[in-house]
Amino acid sequence: MDEMRIVMTPRLLRLRRLVIGEVSRFPELARALFENGPQRSIQSLAIVISKLVQRGLLSAPSPAVAATTLNWLVLAAPVNEAMLLGDDAIPTTTAMKAHAAEATRVFLTAYDSDTAA
């Protein structure tokens, strides 16, 4: 939840908009933002997911794919809304928590070790 609040700060959203708008002029800046933002979070999630798979709590043939899925289930809708509609579209903490809880529920249903094919 803390990472979601960080991603959804007006300052970071403005930086993201700026970098996306200038990606063709400054691709190295876009790559740095990606590597130190989404990619780093996904790698951290993949480590946790791998440990949960080893313990038999999740079924994920590829922890990296599962981590990517979880990351974007949680962040895609609120980030896209705020990116396109501006800072006034940043959800409240309560709304972020509810969205993250639902995204996590969906993820756990998909990767449940008891029901996975």
Side-chain angles (χ1 to χ4, degrees):
M1 186 61 207
D2 288 337
E3 286 187 18
M4 186 176 190
R5 274 193 286 253
I6 292 167
V7 169
M8 298 302 297
T9 59
R11 182 175 181 216
L12 188 52
L13 288 165
R14 286 191 295 269
L15 175 63
R16 186 181 180 115
R17 288 182 201 108
L18 178 65
V19 170
I20 289 169
E22 296 293 341
V23 69
S24 61
R25 288 179 50 202
F26 303 104
E28 65 282 353
L29 182 60
R31 178 163 298 287
L33 182 61
F34 175 75
E35 289 174 352
N36 291 294
Q39 188 174 33
R40 181 179 284 174
S41 293
I42 290 166
Q43 288 170 340
S44 295
L45 282 171
I47 291 167
V48 172
I49 289 169
S50 180
K51 289 176 183 178
L52 293 171
V53 168
Q54 290 171 1
R55 292 176 55 197
L57 298 172
L58 289 179
S59 176
S62 171
V65 170
T68 300
T69 300
L70 179 56
N71 184 76
W72 295 115
L73 276 172
V74 172
L75 291 173
V79 167
N80 280 335
E81 286 179 28
M83 290 292 294
L84 295 171
L85 301 176
D87 294 347
D88 289 341
I90 296 172
T92 64
T93 299
T94 301
M96 280 192 262
K97 285 180 181 179
H99 178 78
E102 178 60 10
T104 302
R105 185 194 67 75
V106 170
F107 174 83
L108 291 174
T109 300
Y111 288 94
D112 183 341
S113 64
D114 291 334
T115 60

